[in-house]
Amino acid sequence: MTIDELGGYGMEQMDEEAVTKFLTIQSQGVLGLPTENGPYLLPMSYGFDGDSRLYFWYVVGSQSRKAALSDQATTASFLVYRAEMFHWQSVLLTGTIRHLPDAKRDTLPESRTPAWQPEVIDTASETEATRLYEFRIDDRTGVRHDLQAPSYDQRSSRDE
């Protein structure tokens, strides 16, 4: 079914302003990188420039499949979502990803780095190599679904 067809069930398309606001207040999602056997999916924290770019820190060490796939990718996807019992939102981004040289990452404003990231990034960066990657957004689609929570009477009628 299309989003329009699902509108009768409470689903709606998010407009550009809602998508931007959602990306601004969230800090985590799932990066999808192409492989021969389907996407390689990774949970990632991100920074957002408020317009068309996300930023990811990678711990690369001596080998990194994530970095190798990112460097080879001609396109990538990133899914940001929030799901609660009766409300959920998701934004699917497609675009390109590239490693930023160290000189560029040193000039990147702190507001564009992830607001939250796993402690492993900070800890590992003391002894392992890290890289900054930029995800340039080419396309974005957002949907949300808001339902009223069932009333007590509606919930208890199922028990009869």
Side-chain angles (χ1 to χ4, degrees):
M1 296 182 95
T2 67
I3 300 298
D4 289 338
E5 292 171 322
L6 291 171
Y9 299 101
M11 186 180 296
E12 64 182 20
Q13 192 84 33
M14 294 167 66
D15 63 21
E16 189 68 29
E17 182 179 338
V19 167
T20 298
K21 182 178 179 183
F22 183 72
L23 291 173
T24 301
I25 62 174
Q26 298 301 309
S27 61
Q28 302 168 48
V30 179
L31 177 62
L33 299 168
T35 71
E36 291 178 12
N37 299 320
Y40 182 63
L41 302 173
L42 300 147
M44 299 291 296
S45 56
Y46 69 90
F48 178 51
D49 74 352
D51 184 29
S52 62
R53 290 179 179 85
L54 301 179
Y55 298 92
F56 309 115
W57 282 105
Y58 291 9
V59 175
V60 294
S62 62
Q63 294 182 9
S64 172
R65 183 173 185 206
K66 168 178 41 183
L69 291 172
S70 295
D71 293 342
Q72 297 167 12
T74 57
T75 187
S77 298
F78 193 69
L79 177 67
V80 180
Y81 68 94
R82 184 178 71 208
E84 298 167 4
M85 187 174 290
F86 299 102
H87 311 283
W88 60 263
Q89 295 175 303
S90 67
V91 170
L92 178 62
L93 308 170
T94 55
T96 55
I97 191 164
R98 70 182 180 112
H99 170 237
L100 292 179
D102 290 346
K104 177 74 171 170
R105 80 184 206 181
D106 293 339
T107 63
L108 191 69
E110 190 172 318
S111 63
R112 295 192 182 164
T113 60
W116 175 90
Q117 58 190 7
E119 190 170 319
V120 69
I121 301 289
D122 293 329
T123 304
S125 68
E126 295 173 12
T127 59
E128 301 291 337
T130 59
R131 290 187 193 162
L132 182 64
Y133 279 78
E134 176 187 76
F135 182 97
R136 186 175 295 221
I137 302 167
D138 294 330
D139 188 50
R140 60 185 91 204
T141 304
V143 293
R144 66 177 153 224
H145 190 243
D146 291 313
L147 286 177
Q148 288 290 339
S151 69
Y152 176 78
D153 292 339
Q154 291 169 318
R155 287 188 299 234
S156 63
S157 67
R158 290 184 284 166
D159 298 333
E160 295 175 2

